[in-house]
Amino acid sequence: MTEPAEISSLTLNRLSLYLRCLRQLQDAGTTHVSSGQFAQHFELSASLMRKDLAHFGEFGIRGTGYRVDDLAARLTTLLGLDRIHNLAVVGMGSLGSALARYLSFNDKPFRIVAAFDVDGRKVGHKIGHLVIHHSRDIPEVIPQTEAQIAVLSVPASAAQQCYEDLTVSGIEAVLNFAPTQLKQHPAVRTKSVDFQINLEELAYFLSS
Amino acid sequence: MTEPAEISSLTLNRLSLYLRCLRQLQDAGTTHVSSGQFAQHFELSASLMRKDLAHFGEFGIRGTGYRVDDLAARLTTLLGLDRIHNLAVVGMGSLGSALARYLSFNDKPFRIVAAFDVDGRKVGHKIGHLVIHHSRDIPEVIPQTEAQIAVLSVPASAAQQCYEDLTVSGIEAVLNFAPTQLKQHPAVRTKSVDFQINLEELAYFLSS
DNA sequence: CTGCGCTTGTGACATCGTGCACAAGTCGGT
DNA sequence: ACCGACTTGTGCACGATGTCACAAGCGCAG
Ligand SMILES: NC(=O)c1ccc[n+]([C@@H]2O[C@H](COP(=O)([O-])OP(=O)(O)OC[C@H]3O[C@@H](n4cnc5c(N)ncnc54)[C@H](O)[C@@H]3O)[C@@H](O)[C@H]2O)c1
Ligand SMILES: NC(=O)c1ccc[n+]([C@@H]2O[C@H](COP(=O)([O-])OP(=O)(O)OC[C@H]3O[C@@H](n4cnc5c(N)ncnc54)[C@H](O)[C@@H]3O)[C@@H](O)[C@H]2O)c1
């Protein structure tokens, strides 16, 4: 099988995870690994890993396993992480700032090219070497900077409006952190990371 | 059906979502809603919502729909959000501080009772009215404060060690933000919120 | 009290995701 | 050159998840 069918989110997320684990192995100096060893080490499923990889071709050597460097490299290109992706952060509050700082360190495949807020005390100031624009300039700045992915870290009440401003500005994907159910635009790939819901799930299982 | 079987994460997360949407309806003054209206308004599935609720009993009135207040109240107790849950935050960097601040505002069902770090410049200082302890005191402070859920926001390299310190200290659940695959303790309910993997999923689908 | 329209709760069905087991294939030793 | 030990890639079966369609139930009008 090559790559005609649409890949599921679950598979894709696991591929990212595999890559991360492979990098750990690289750091440890491991050059070869079998799916069994890999799975045991990282508490994953060996057969599932093989099946995930099978969506994209053959990566291993029967009888031997996988060459760590090789698999890592192929996963990197496969996931598009060998290219640089331009990010815009909308909402430079405590979360937005943390994200911006985090991405500045970890700048391998992602690069922040624009930041937005509405707070007069923040607009015009710099975060690192990046000036914070006013949100009303989203339609102008997004195309200029060629931002492809937007990170939404504004209050829930502003999220939908910002989302729509972003979509009409030609953004290709949005990662939303606001605890709200966005009315999605079909042409923009949208995901939400919902801290609150995850916390509530844990709370459900507590004894008292 | 009442509640013998284990409820799936997916269902549980949607229940949290429904509750959040119901609160929006309450704020808007809506008193009654049918699953169809609800689903259309929030871009959800009506039949799935009914099935999710069915795990826990009957909540609606046939021919009429649901009373918003009533359903919200029942979901709140059902999810355990009428009780206060004690949180500990481990790793008071930019993300940990953002989370602490966020939870201090949004303090309805969650209350931060302890904070930890190893950085000498942070330990002993206060965040709000809460003193930051040294991580080595986790085994002492967690039981004292009766923290039930820990939020892990330390660097990936420290995550496994902190996780284990927490588990032996009697924590009941952990929400991990570090980009690493934790070796899980079976008695501790553990979830990860993985910003990086979500970002990489979006990147995969970008055109260029 | 009866009938009608509406909505829930639910069983049957379709789809999707995962675990299992094994044939196909590779390598190293003899 | 062949064998045996090992691992991948994969077909199959099972379980989980979501959709559909409808009987059961409720309220209101007459
Ligand atoms: N730990 C956290 O802080 C955390 C965790 C999970 C989710 N969230 C969510 O992330 C979002 C941001 O959280 P936060 O803690 O950073 O809040 P915050 O109040 O610190 O920051 C919000 C920022 O958004 C800006 N803003 C408001 N309206 C805007 C608009 N229309 N356009 C651009 N910027 C605008 C504000 O000026 C502010 O700087 C919230 O929706 C919150 O629920 C936060
Ligand atoms: N936007 C973000 O900042 C962001 C987003 C997603 C995930 N994350 C992840 O969350 C974690 C924290 O991110 P951050 O940006 O806050 O990093 P940070 O460097 O700002 O903060 C990390 C904090 O953890 C403390 N620490 C280190 N070892 C510790 C230990 N053993 N016990 C207790 N505390 C310890 C450090 O002193 C520091 O204060 C990282 O794993 C990061 O990958 C961060």
Side-chain angles (χ1 to χ4, degrees), chain A residues 110-123:
Chain A
F110 298 103
R111 180 176 57 186
I112 303 190
V113 296
F116 300 92
D117 207 301
V118 285
D119 188 334
R121 287 165 302 181
K122 288 170 185 160
V123 173

Side-chain angles (χ1 to χ4, degrees), chain A residues 89-97 99 116-122 133-136 138 152-159 161-162 165 176-180 193-196, chain B residues 94-103 105-106 177:
Chain A
V89 180
V90 183
M92 297 301 292
S94 40
L95 181 61
S97 305
L99 291 168
F116 300 92
D117 207 301
V118 285
D119 188 334
R121 287 165 302 181
K122 288 170 185 160
H133 296 274
H134 195 286
S135 300
R136 82 168 76 86
I138 285 178
L152 244 195
S153 50
V154 301
S157 54
Q161 182 61 55
C162 286
D165 292 348
N176 172 48
F177 285 86
T180 187
V193 174
D194 205 312
F195 167 67
Q196 200 172 310
Chain B
S94 40
L95 180 61
S97 304
L99 291 168
R101 165 197 292 248
Y102 179 65
L103 289 163
F105 279 108
N106 210 28
F177 285 87

